[in-house]
Amino acid sequence: MARVELRNLRKIYPGNIEAVKNANLTVEDREFVVLVGPSGCGKSTTLRMIAGLEEISEGEIHIGDTLVNDVPPKDRDIAMVFQNYALYPHMTVYKNMAFGLMLRKYPKAEIKKRVHEAAEILGITDLLDRRPKALSGGQRQRVAVGRAIVRQPKVFLFDEPLSNLDAKLRVQMRAEISKLHNRLQSTMIYVTHDQVEAMTMGDRIVVMLNGVIQQVDAPLDLYHKPVNKFVAEFIGSPPMNILGGELFGQNGDMRFRAAAGAVDLCVPASMRERLGSYAGKKILCGIRPEDLSENETQIVHPGTSIEAPIEVVEPMGSEIYLYLNVGGQSVTARIKADREPKEGVPHVLDVNMENVHFFDPDTELTVV
Ligand code: ADP
């Protein structure tokens, strides 16, 4: 197995499109790292450069102790699973899985052993004689993964492998790929645009935007300590609420006010020093929907609650999402399922101020 290192990696496509800008990343041996970000942020390009399917414009890629910039894909000891599975339609499942090994002239007995082992792990032994067109989407997906497993590569690369599956199957396959990682103990790099997939699967997550790595961290560190507004909003569902407002007061009594006075929140003592230079200035306040809770008495507590009309109530079964209009700014809250909030009625929500985040309105970097 192996670590993968990207050093000052850049990709410039014809037309001067800079898809990846100076990426630095070390994926440790046996680590499961997820590259996540919105469409077009450069995730696939990065993965394809690691695979050797895309030329590197600048920088270096190391797999294990080898600089692989000029090593052809077949000699990189990696296996890639694609979004569209890329199975050979005229071959049986067995042959699809065996084909790569046959090309590499592995002994027949070894190929048989590996294919049967992989099929066993993936629960597709009874499908080995079928052709891809006689398989469901989920089964094809397993064959595509099986084809990667039989190679016993140093590194597995996954490019949005679950995108073509329905929601339920996606959740199931997510867990299966995580189990596979535990079992094979190999280095895996996984690309997705889905932050839930990233959060649930990755040991560490790389968040990208516009070709730039924004943050590399363990899932909960990303959630609790986002480095900027983009990461804060991208990780977590429903997304973090961002309110534009101003800070007033100094150390003794610092307030965040927004929405023409509809929001007047007391900044916790632990944050005041870091926010000192923003006194009297504009700032962005980030509040996660789960840090807004329904006030049981429906009486406004100055400094820690917000009152605003409910625009939409979405019962989710296990909880309720409320969409409120806070002085023209839309705010989402997650509250307990046993409540009966009414649309159109003003509602009082308590804010867990210890968990709020503040961002600089110009740089959008986290202040606290
Ligand atoms: P992602 O996987 O995050 O959706 P990509 O890596 O596919 O993003 O693309 C990153 C950027 O590079 C996008 O702006 C995309 O339009 C551009 N791009 C991707 N492939 C090519 C190509 N072959 N030629 C020119 N531009 C490309």
Side-chain angles (χ1 to χ4, degrees):
M1 295 302 158
R3 81 204 301 235
V4 176
E5 222 180 318
L6 316 183
R7 293 188 196 155
N8 304 321
L9 190 66
R10 286 179 83 200
K11 175 68 190 182
I12 302 164
Y13 284 114
N16 210 20
I17 299 164
E18 198 173 4
V20 178
K21 300 174 189 170
N22 198 37
N24 285 284
L25 175 71
T26 303
V27 178
E28 297 297 344
D29 185 27
R30 300 173 190 211
E31 201 177 16
F32 194 132
V33 163
V34 180
L35 307 186
V36 71
S39 179
C41 72
K43 314 177 288 288
S44 295
T45 301
T46 305
L47 198 74
R48 291 170 62 82
M49 283 195 282
I50 298 170
L53 302 174
E54 205 68 72
E55 223 174 278
I56 294 166
S57 306
E58 259 180 50
E60 296 180 353
I61 298 180
H62 297 253
I63 299 178
D65 297 325
T66 314
L67 174 68
V68 297
N69 285 37
D70 299 320
V71 177
K74 67 177 179 39
D75 299 328
R76 290 194 183 192
D77 213 350
I78 47 116
M80 186 148 165
V81 179
F82 296 91
Q83 177 176 352
N84 61 8
Y85 320 137
L87 300 178
Y88 303 110
H90 57 288
M91 292 183 192
T92 61
V93 167
Y94 181 93
K95 191 110 184 264
N96 261 288
M97 288 168 68
F99 194 62
L101 302 180
M102 287 158 73
L103 286 183
R104 287 174 176 76
K105 308 235 176 319
Y106 276 72
K108 253 188 169 164
E110 175 68 14
I111 295 177
K112 192 171 171 194
K113 180 168 162 277
R114 289 197 190 187
V115 171
H116 279 276
E117 270 174 16
E120 187 70 27
I121 291 172
L122 295 161
I124 53 173
T125 304
D126 53 349
L127 305 178
L128 287 173
D129 294 331
R130 291 202 200 165
R131 284 176 210 273
K133 70 173 184 315
L135 302 175
S136 70
Q139 290 168 336
R140 283 179 205 170
Q141 225 303 315
R142 285 194 181 84
V143 178
V145 174
R147 200 169 48 178
I149 293 177
V150 296
R151 301 261 312 279
Q152 301 181 350
K154 276 192 190 145
V155 181
F156 284 86
L157 305 177
F158 294 91
D159 192 359
E160 302 256 9
L162 308 184
S163 299
N164 290 343
L165 304 179
D166 65 48
K168 192 171 165 215
L169 206 51
R170 225 163 38 224
V171 173
Q172 191 187 331
M173 285 303 292
R174 203 160 82 192
E176 284 191 23
I177 292 177
S178 293
K179 273 194 260 172
L180 195 67
H181 177 247
N182 293 339
R183 177 165 180 160
L184 300 178
Q185 287 289 307
S186 44
T187 310
M188 293 188 174
I189 306 178
Y190 187 104
V191 159
T192 178
H193 63 276
D194 179 345
Q195 62 91 22
V196 177
E197 227 166 87
M199 288 293 279
T200 50
M201 297 176 84
D203 296 323
R204 281 190 308 153
I205 299 174
V206 179
V207 183
M208 295 183 71
L209 177 67
N210 298 334
V212 178
I213 293 179
Q214 305 287 309
Q215 186 167 0
V216 183
D217 249 321
L220 290 182
D221 288 331
L222 276 186
Y223 182 82
H224 292 297
K225 295 177 208 156
V227 296
N228 60 26
K229 173 173 166 279
F230 171 74
V231 176
E233 286 185 286
F234 191 75
I235 300 292
S237 177
M240 183 187 281
N241 300 295
I242 306 286
L243 290 170
E246 269 178 80
L247 274 189
F248 289 92
Q250 280 297 343
N251 276 341
D253 176 27
M254 187 182 271
R255 301 272 176 154
F256 171 73
R257 292 196 185 123
V263 175
D264 187 355
L265 297 167
C266 187
V267 176
S270 58
M271 299 179 186
R272 288 180 200 153
E273 201 178 315
R274 301 255 289 280
L275 290 167
S277 61
Y278 289 86
K281 295 193 186 146
K282 286 195 173 14
I283 198 157
L284 302 173
C285 178
I287 306 172
R288 292 210 180 269
E290 49 274 40
D291 289 321
L292 289 165
S293 55
E294 197 178 36
N295 183 290
E296 303 213 349
T297 60
Q298 285 297 298
I299 296 168
V300 177
H301 292 266
T304 58
S305 50
I306 296 177
E307 183 172 28
I310 300 173
E311 292 193 314
V312 178
V313 175
E314 272 184 4
M316 305 300 290
S318 57
E319 59 190 354
I320 299 170
Y321 293 174
L322 296 184
Y323 298 88
L324 302 111
N325 182 342
V326 181
Q329 303 193 54
S330 178
V331 165
T332 312
R334 286 169 65 171
I335 66 165
K336 288 185 184 155
D338 58 357
R339 308 286 158 170
E340 291 178 356
K342 299 269 181 298
E343 286 174 11
V345 177
H347 213 65
V348 181
L349 294 165
D350 289 332
V351 186
N352 182 359
M353 288 302 291
E354 290 295 338
N355 283 357
V356 303
H357 300 258
F358 286 97
F359 307 97
D360 184 290
D362 297 322
T363 64
E364 300 196 343
L365 295 175
T366 302
V367 184
V368 63

